[in-house]
Amino acid sequence: MTLTIGLTGSIATGKSTVSKMLKELDIPVIDADIIAREVVEPGEPAYNKIKEAFGSEVFQEDHSLDRQKLGALVFTDDNKRKKLNAIVHPAVRERMLEQKRSYLESGAPCIVLDIPLLFESNLSHMADAIVVVYADEEVQKQRLKERNGFTEEEASQRIAAQMPVKEKADRADYVINNNGSKADTCRQVKRLLEQLNIT
Ligand SMILES: CC(C)(COP(=O)(O)OP(=O)(O)OC[C@H]1O[C@@H](n2cnc3c(N)ncnc32)[C@H](O)[C@@H]1O)[C@@H](O)C(=O)NCCC(=O)NCCS
Ligand SMILES: Nc1ncnc2c1ncn2[C@@H]1O[C@H](COP(=O)(O)OP(=O)(O)OP(=O)(O)O)[C@@H](O)[C@H]1O
């Protein structure tokens, strides 16, 4: 039996940091953010749909998606974000399931699905156990500002586009508290794998 773990959290609470630790421990991770980048590459169906919906101004000269411009549009307008989600999410879900199937065939004892919007998109059913990477909102905002060079307002808008991380932690089967050092988080990850009998 393969255990499917849903890994989530809110923006910049540390999902990628935890998923990197899991990969280093040889746990297969399917990353929705990476797939969301793949499905909007030139030639993909979602690429053309974004052009139809948002116009050529959200593309760069080399024809790739201008993520900064599109981000500025969708994180300041709920309707535009919903429109983008409706284009990108089905393609992401389909590719995640394909990858999951191929890991299942290989007999992996555990698969991690790293999905930022797992609760918002009602995808809890995709996982046997849900792990939320938590950080206090002030820590989250500070890390987001530092990582992306966002202003206070930009950081607040991106955080507001998701369910508050506290609510996600309340719904989780397991919580990893990432307020402290990465070393402390790594210890929690290893402890969790022991608890789940995956080491
Ligand atoms: C708007 C886009 C172009 C901005 O790109 P950018 O490179 O700045 O951000 P990136 O993709 O690395 O996302 C960073 C984080 O933002 C958050 N986020 C991204 N999209 C969304 C969304 N639609 N709603 C809420 N939060 C989101 C997630 O926590 C994600 O981890 C991009 O995020 C996008 O295409 N979003 C729609 C697809 C999506 O929902 N992806 C998230 C998981 S499937
Ligand atoms: N324990 C920590 N101590 C210090 N910095 C950290 C810690 N955990 C993560 N960070 C930093 O905070 C930022 C956000 O972390 P990370 O990219 O892992 O978040 P995320 O949840 O994957 O974000 P996103 O939703 O945007 O994909 C990164 O710059 C990361 O290096």
Side-chain angles (χ1 to χ4, degrees):
M1 233 287 279
T2 303
L3 182 76
T4 303
I5 297 177
L7 180 71
T8 193
S10 287
I11 185 162
T13 61
K15 293 174 301 297
S16 305
T17 301
V18 167
S19 91
K20 188 163 168 259
M21 291 169 185
L22 291 165
K23 283 180 207 156
E24 280 165 7
L25 294 164
D26 288 330
I27 309 272
V29 178
I30 300 174
D31 185 324
D33 274 341
I34 293 178
I35 296 177
R37 283 170 187 260
E38 290 170 359
V39 300
V40 297
E41 278 171 9
E44 295 287 342
Y47 176 92
N48 294 325
K49 289 184 193 162
I50 292 175
K51 200 167 242 174
E52 279 164 30
F54 294 92
S56 47
E57 57 272 23
V58 298
F59 293 87
Q60 311 196 75
E61 270 180 23
D62 68 358
H63 305 293
S64 64
L65 190 62
D66 189 331
R67 306 182 67 84
Q68 221 176 329
K69 266 198 195 149
L70 187 56
L73 284 183
V74 302
F75 290 110
T76 51
D77 184 328
D78 287 354
N79 285 328
K80 288 190 176 139
R81 195 170 61 256
K82 279 183 195 147
K83 202 189 250 185
L84 178 66
N85 290 348
I87 295 172
V88 179
H89 289 180
V92 172
R93 222 164 295 155
E94 197 181 315
R95 206 168 285 193
M96 285 193 96
L97 288 173
E98 266 169 33
Q99 291 187 7
K100 185 181 166 187
R101 266 194 296 275
S102 89
Y103 277 122
L104 287 177
E105 279 163 18
S106 76
C110 166
I111 305 170
V112 174
L113 307 179
D114 178 347
I115 312 180
L117 303 176
L118 184 135
F119 290 118
E120 291 87 342
S121 302
N122 296 315
L123 299 177
S124 304
H125 64 274
M126 282 177 75
D128 301 313
I130 295 177
V131 177
V132 165
V133 185
Y134 174 85
D136 289 335
E137 200 172 305
E138 275 320 302
V139 174
Q140 175 189 20
K141 193 184 277 178
Q142 193 51 39
R143 288 182 183 158
L144 180 56
K145 282 158 79 175
E146 275 167 25
R147 188 191 64 185
N148 289 47
F150 286 153
T151 61
E152 174 74 20
E153 196 190 3
E154 285 169 329
S156 298
Q157 281 165 342
R158 301 237 172 181
I159 290 171
Q162 296 188 6
M163 183 187 290
V165 68
K166 258 205 170 80
E167 257 179 67
K168 293 189 182 182
D170 286 343
R171 296 184 184 205
D173 297 306
Y174 302 91
V175 176
I176 291 175
N177 186 316
N178 189 33
N179 278 329
S181 66
K182 289 187 185 177
D184 180 38
T185 294
C186 189
R187 277 190 288 274
Q188 292 178 61
V189 169
K190 287 182 177 161
R191 214 177 302 137
L192 175 64
L193 293 178
E194 279 167 18
Q195 248 177 295
L196 293 169
N197 287 321
I198 312 167
T199 38

